[in-house]
Amino acid sequence: METIVFDIGETLVRDDRLWASWADWLGVPPHTVSALVGASVVQGRDGTDALRVLRPDMDVTEAAQARAAAGRGEHLDETDLYPDVRPALAELRALGLRVVVAGDRSARAGELLRALDLPADLVVTSQEWGVTKPHREFFARVLEVSGAAPGSTLYVGDHPADDLFPATSAGLRAAHIRRGPYGHWWADHPDVMETADWRVDSLTELPGLLGAAGRRKTPAAAPEAARG
């Protein structure tokens, strides 16, 4: 490997603050939103579908803009990072690998993440690129900033349909992390097990694993439930 690219939500950053802030905005208990997000995960749907259950006529993008205008937009700080993030990214860079953070988040989240001064060569979000996962163009942009061939670029994420399957379809190698609702629920699905080059429970496993040769696996089609 030459370049390691990391998803953001539930790979580097905990999403509990994100969903709690939506619950506060909608005036419902945080547990209600969490439970509905869990139901969406099990059905292979997008987590924002939970918000549409509560407000069927709500445009989530417009609502996010309204929150930001009201001073209640996205927030991230050191407490939102999983504890293995800094040591893992630092060790990967020490091994001479290029470390990139690229995931589905707002431009504001990109600013906040860069302010944390992570041990990464680049931090960028989907809104800054103008394209979201799982679109092929997103992973084309990943390869542009990777500076390495697809087979020498590893994408690390928790979500099979948004991270694992489109990354391998674009020719990248992929690692699935058992973290967050999607990461735990779909970790042992046969297609995830067949498609992922590596499956980890912690980011600190990656430096050791990448020191050994990994077998390139043939990407499998996403299960209907995991496609969303």
Side-chain angles (χ1 to χ4, degrees):
M1 291 297 104
E2 298 178 31
T3 301
I4 315 299
V5 186
F6 291 91
D7 168 48
I8 298 173
E10 293 300 348
T11 297
L12 303 184
V13 172
R14 295 161 45 124
D15 280 348
D16 44 325
R17 187 202 295 266
L18 171 69
W19 296 118
S21 67
W22 274 112
D24 182 60
W25 178 257
L26 296 174
V28 300
H31 174 69
T32 299
V33 173
S34 295
L36 290 171
V37 169
S40 297
V41 169
V42 171
Q43 296 172 27
R45 296 163 60 188
D46 189 85
T48 56
D49 285 346
L51 306 179
R52 298 185 184 91
V53 171
L54 295 166
R55 300 289 186 275
D57 59 346
M58 183 176 73
D59 183 305
V60 176
T61 300
E62 290 182 0
Q65 293 170 347
R67 283 182 53 192
R72 296 166 65 181
E74 193 161 6
H75 179 75
L76 287 170
D77 62 30
E78 190 72 25
T79 64
D80 295 296
L81 296 177
Y82 277 101
D84 57 0
V85 171
R86 287 192 181 277
L89 270 58
E91 188 172 356
L92 289 166
R93 290 188 85 189
L95 291 174
L97 298 167
R98 177 172 170 79
V99 174
V100 174
V101 176
D104 274 347
R105 285 287 178 142
S106 66
R108 174 60 176 159
E111 295 172 359
L112 293 168
L113 283 169
R114 288 188 288 273
L116 293 178
D117 194 25
L118 295 171
D121 298 282
L122 175 68
V123 176
V124 65
T125 67
S126 57
Q127 189 175 60
E128 292 171 323
W129 274 347
V131 62
T132 60
K133 295 182 291 184
H135 295 295
R136 190 173 185 84
E137 178 59 26
F138 180 92
F139 290 94
R141 295 297 301 271
V142 166
L143 285 172
E144 286 178 14
V145 302
S146 164
S152 297
T153 301
L154 175 67
Y155 195 84
V156 183
D158 65 298
H159 197 304
D162 285 354
D163 301 325
L164 182 62
F165 300 129
T168 55
S169 293
L172 286 76
R173 303 188 78 172
H176 181 259
I177 184 164
R178 186 193 294 264
R179 172 174 287 175
Y182 287 98
H184 281 285
W185 185 260
W186 296 104
D188 296 324
H189 190 284
D191 287 352
V192 171
M193 297 175 67
E194 175 62 24
T195 303
D197 292 285
W198 292 278
R199 299 165 64 228
V200 298
D201 294 318
S202 169
L203 298 178
T204 53
E205 297 175 42
L206 289 171
L209 289 173
L210 297 181
R215 180 174 67 88
R216 185 69 173 97
K217 299 180 180 179
T218 303
E224 286 303 316
R227 286 179 185 273

